[in-house]
Amino acid sequence: NAGVMQNPRHLVRRRGQEARLRCSPMKGHSHVYWYRQLPEEGLKFMVYLQKENIIDESGMPKERFSAEFPKEGPSILRIQQVVRGDSAAYFCASSKDQLQPQHFGDGTRLSIL
Amino acid sequence: DAKTTQPNSMESNEEEPVHLPCNHSTISGTDYIHWYRQLPSQGPEYVIHGLTSNVNNRMASLAIAEDRKSSTLILHRATLRDAAVYYCILRDLNYGGSQGNLIFGKGTKLSVKP
C-alpha cells in the first residue's frame, strides 16, 4: 500500500506569490489533516478535512491560507501572497476515521525568497 | 497545548533497551496515550497507543502506570535507526466530532550511540 504522498517535496516561492501543496491520502482514508513545523519546533495543527468538508480549521491563519479536499483528487493547502514567515515544513496526515492513528507524508518544505 | 511532559533528550547505546518516560498527571478517563516518532527530515510515524493495559507491537512496548498518570515507551533493542524525536500525545476518545488533531509537544530527542 502506498503511504501518504505529498508533492512537491521542496517548493521555492518569492514573496507575494502563491504556494500550492498537494496531499494524496492513503487508500481508503477519508480524513486528512495538515500540520506546519517551523525550524526547531514541534508540529502545529492547521486544518482537518473529511471529503469535501472542513471539520476543524482552528489552527489555520484566517487570511491567505485555505484548504480543500475535493471528492476526486488530492487535498490542497493553498497559501496566497506568501511572506518569509511562511517558510516551514508542511505535513499532511490521513486516517480511516478520527479514532485511528494518523499516517504522515514526508512533507513539503516551503522556502520563501 | 500538549498535556504531557517529557525529558528534552536522552542517550542510548546501540542494542540496549531504552525507556522513554512521559508524565500526564491531568489525564482523563477517556484519554488514549499515543506515541509517535519523527526521524530527521521525515514526517512523524505512529509507534503505539494504549488506554489502560500495557501494549506490545513489533516496534515497541507501552507500559502504563496503574493510576495512568505516567507511561513509558520501551524500545527493546535500540538501533541507529531509532534515533528520532519521540512524542507522547493524549487523544480523547470522546472527540465530539471535531477534535481529530494531534497536539505535539517538544518530545524527547533520542540519540543512539554505536
Side-chain angles (χ1 to χ4, degrees):
Chain A
N1 280 334
V4 175
M5 303 300 292
Q6 290 188 248
N7 68 81
R9 288 296 307 274
H10 301 274
L11 181 62
V12 179
R13 286 286 179 267
R14 296 188 181 280
R15 282 179 295 171
Q17 291 185 320
E18 177 180 287
R20 280 187 179 235
L21 288 62
R22 295 175 194 77
C23 169
S24 296
M26 283 182 69
K27 186 176 181 181
H29 288 192
S30 60
H31 296 247
V32 166
Y33 315 81
W34 285 93
Y35 295 82
R36 176 165 65 176
Q37 186 171 35
L38 295 171
E40 306 302 320
E41 293 190 12
L43 282 79
K44 302 292 184 190
F45 166 75
M46 298 182 74
V47 61
Y48 163 32
L49 309 103
Q50 184 189 3
K51 275 302 181 183
E52 301 184 271
N53 295 308
I54 294 176
I55 307 300
D56 180 1
E57 55 183 348
S58 59
M60 198 155 69
K62 297 278 188 285
E63 297 180 354
R64 303 187 299 109
F65 285 73
S66 62
E68 63 178 13
F69 187 17
K71 189 175 180 181
E72 302 290 338
S75 175
I76 306 286
L77 180 68
R78 182 181 177 206
I79 311 172
Q80 294 178 291
Q81 299 175 323
V82 296
V83 301
R84 288 238 170 94
D86 297 332
S87 295
Y90 292 82
F91 292 98
C92 168
S94 73
S95 66
K96 282 188 179 179
D97 60 50
Q98 281 183 325
L99 300 180
Q100 297 300 314
Q102 294 181 14
H103 297 263
F104 285 79
D106 281 336
T108 293
R109 276 135 188 94
L110 176 64
S111 298
I112 309 302
L113 300 179
Chain B
D1 284 2
K3 297 177 287 184
T4 62
T5 304
Q6 300 177 252
N8 288 336
S9 62
M10 289 185 66
E11 274 192 357
S12 170
N13 294 317
E14 196 176 11
E15 298 193 6
E16 289 185 356
V18 182
H19 291 236
L20 296 162
C22 181
N23 287 323
H24 27 79
S25 58
T26 59
I27 192 170
S28 72
T30 53
D31 279 333
Y32 274 85
I33 302 158
H34 285 243
W35 284 82
Y36 284 75
R37 71 180 184 180
Q38 186 175 20
L39 279 65
S41 300
Q42 295 187 24
E45 175 186 28
Y46 166 77
V47 178
I48 200 167
H49 76 282
L51 184 63
T52 55
S53 304
N54 294 344
V55 185
N56 299 295
N57 66 20
R58 64 174 179 80
M59 289 181 71
S61 295
L62 177 60
I64 302 172
E66 200 168 327
D67 63 5
R68 301 212 321 127
K69 293 185 185 299
S70 66
S71 61
T72 303
L73 179 71
I74 302 166
L75 306 179
H76 296 286
R77 282 183 68 214
T79 68
L80 297 178
R81 196 194 171 277
D82 290 322
V85 178
Y86 287 78
Y87 297 98
C88 170
I89 299 169
L90 301 183
R91 295 194 79 190
D92 193 343
L93 179 64
N94 297 324
Y95 288 146
S98 67
Q99 295 175 25
N101 56 294
L102 297 170
I103 300 175
F104 288 83
K106 293 190 183 301
T108 296
K109 185 173 183 178
L110 175 67
S111 303
V112 180
K113 295 184 288 185

